[in-house]
Amino acid sequence: MRCLVLGAGGFIGTNLCRGLVAQGCFVRAFGRRQSFPELLTGCHWISGNFSDPTSLATAIQGCDVVFHLINATTPASANLDKVADLEANVVSTLRFLEICRETNIKRVVFASSGGTIYGVPNLIPTPETAPTHPITAYGISKLAIEKYLSLYEYLYSLDYRVLRLANPFGPYQTTLKNQGVVAAFVHRALSGAPVEMWGDGSVIRDYVYIDDVVDAFVLAAFHKGSNRVFNIGSGEGRSLNDIVAAISRLLGYEVNVYRRAGRSVDVPVSVLDTELAISDLHWVPRIKFDDGLRRTIEWMKSAGV
Amino acid sequence: MRCLVLGAGGFIGTNLCRGLVAQGCFVRAFGRRQSFPELLTGCHWISGNFSDPTSLATAIQGCDVVFHLINATTPASANLDKVADLEANVVSTLRFLEICRETNIKRVVFASSGGTIYGVPNLIPTPETAPTHPITAYGISKLAIEKYLSLYEYLYSLDYRVLRLANPFGPYQTTLKNQGVVAAFVHRALSGAPVEMWGDGSVIRDYVYIDDVVDAFVLAAFHKGSNRVFNIGSGEGRSLNDIVAAISRLLGYEVNVYRRAGRSVDVPVSVLDTELAISDLHWVPRIKFDDGLRRTIEWMKSAGV
């Protein structure tokens, strides 16, 4: 399989590229910059901006499957400039899909957001069929892209799969993008600083280890069947306070917390129902939370990031 | 009530402005051009482009309620240039909502599309809670705007209501915008030309008379309650062949049909479940289809359009 990974230099991208190379795939890696260039040695790196159709077209040419992991914003930043969020993510994805139409792309696998697309859920854990009422522009953009993917399949038979990711964590997640609670907390804890927490710590999320996420992307590239959208998470809810407690337990000392006011972009609970991925994508999550956290801490200690 | 009608020069806008003036409202009418200027004599007309924030801000200033009826595309044209559709409709609406935040707008009432937002429905008639899988970029833009309205209420307490309209028909609908089957068919029939039909005429739609639509908009401006999204239709399905038969019956002669290939933008069936509007908006549709069609024919004969 000849793959293109868009957003290859980031956390999920770096891990996915390594996973695909390990599977013997030809991997073209596209992004603005590489967080860890040495980790992408088996890949063909192309520097480029997602909103620039020329470099994008060059990258796409000759590939079978495109993994679209690019996100120009975060849930918090997207609300601050909704037009910019829409332009950078949705308009750019539409231009990307037009290029896919013109080339021989067999499938697009898109990283959507299980944590923002449902909004404040009525049902926990939340299945793919739940209503989608995002409370961030970030979630609306993800939803719109899912709808355009469905439209492109309907109009032009461009095949696709969507993974609605919970909160991935693990090695190669840095604190630079202001996203990723586990990385931020571990980083602060290791440096002896108090972790910064928005709200009272009761906000519950679904944390899924990155190796399991990579498995899901690879399975989505090969999946046969009529389902298009899959939740990918642990199916278990953990509060921010739980995360701090787990880090303290593994480090063997109490991590201090500096509390700040809660944020409007945070839904109180997000836990995904992943039955469909398990039954239809044949996805088998392997890494328990504590093991994943231990590996994350070990990596962060060794990398010194 | 001080109202602003965006898209006031068009079919729905002209009828809504007249309805609001008849209710004693102060009506500011905004649009690119007036189809029938003499019909808007009681309104304060402002010429402007929806994508130009300056003229829009001038129009909004001092109003309580804004009726947003603007749509720069049709279901068929939107698919031809999806980026242009997104820019003209969604991006412009986001800029409009930013202006609403800055001013003292009490409510936005948005004309969404019951015929395209659901896609190919599993349930007929289709309730508001049905899944939304549009098969046109037009429908995706309408859906995205609904989500942004919900976001603006969540973030900034900007109140809103959405009417998902079926296929409105009636006086002041012209054939210029290439939208509105009843107007197109009646126009051709009156001029003695065969009506142009896409497909075999089995496509079923829900036709709702414009006076009932105007009632729904006025009720939506005053509605108290927690529901935000209402289907507005007749709840009855009619095929294109039914429409031709009804026109032939009322005209007293057989209308000829010129058949063309079916279009990918047309879902086979669209009929809306309007129970929520009836029970919660206290909407009472008054005009039966044949009466509405008779009035439409009479108007078109007298107007000579």
Side-chain angles (χ1 to χ4, degrees), chain B residues 7 31 37 48 76 87 94 96-97 141 185-186 189 213 222-223 246 251 304:
Chain B
E87 301 269 5
L94 273 175
F96 154 67
L97 291 175
S141 286
F185 283 12
V186 170
V213 174
F222 291 103
H223 176 250
L251 290 181

Side-chain angles (χ1 to χ4, degrees), chain B residues 23 30 36 98 119-120 138 144 154 164 173 181 201 219 231 292:
Chain B
Q23 297 246 343
F30 179 91
F36 304 98
E98 282 297 305
V120 182
Y138 181 97
Y154 176 81
R164 290 180 175 169
Q173 186 171 37
V181 158
L219 290 166
N231 283 339

Side-chain angles (χ1 to χ4, degrees), chain A residues 79 82-83 86-87 90-91 94 98 132-133 135-137 140 143 147-148 151-152 154-156 264, chain B residues 79 82-83 86-87 90-91 94-95 98 132-133 135-137 140 143 147-148 151-152 154-156 264:
Chain A
N79 272 0
K82 299 160 199 76
V83 171
L86 188 67
E87 301 270 5
V90 187
V91 172
L94 273 174
E98 282 297 306
T132 45
H133 297 303
I135 59 165
T136 55
I140 296 175
L143 184 62
K147 300 299 180 188
Y148 282 118
L151 180 65
Y152 271 73
Y154 177 80
L155 294 176
Y156 316 116
S264 64
Chain B
N79 272 359
K82 299 160 199 77
V83 171
L86 188 68
E87 301 269 5
V90 187
V91 172
L94 273 175
R95 296 197 203 283
E98 282 297 305
T132 45
H133 297 302
I135 60 166
T136 55
I140 295 174
L143 183 63
K147 301 297 180 188
Y148 283 117
L151 179 65
Y152 272 73
Y154 176 81
L155 293 177
Y156 316 115
S264 64

Side-chain angles (χ1 to χ4, degrees), chain A residues 34-56:
Chain A
Q34 306 168 65
S35 302
F36 304 98
E38 68 281 8
L39 298 174
L40 297 178
T41 43
C43 307
H44 305 261
W45 175 262
I46 296 182
S47 275
N49 198 312
F50 184 52
S51 60
D52 166 25
T54 312
S55 57
L56 196 58

